[in-house]
Amino acid sequence: MAAWIKRQFGVTMSVRGISAMLKRMNISFTKATYTLAKADEQAQAFFRKYTFA
């Protein structure tokens, strides 16, 4: 998320700062802890390259 904020807005934020900001916005976040067994690797590669670039 920090990298996205830097790319989109040119602002550098710490993890703690982002966490505090999200808490003020009543948004909670967790890091994914599993991988889907039937995940489509090509679709994920497309997403990473074009959608979330």
Side-chain angles (χ1 to χ4, degrees), residues 2-43:
W4 181 81
I5 291 171
K6 176 71 173 174
R7 242 188 352 260
Q8 293 292 79
F9 304 105
V11 176
T12 303
M13 292 186 71
S14 67
V15 173
R16 190 170 182 178
I18 293 169
S19 177
M21 176 185 67
L22 292 174
K23 186 173 183 176
R24 286 191 302 271
M25 297 170 70
N26 291 323
I27 299 172
S28 63
F29 71 97
T30 58
K31 186 175 181 179
T33 57
Y34 62 90
T35 305
L36 296 175
K38 295 182 180 180
D40 183 350
E41 292 184 23
Q42 289 180 341

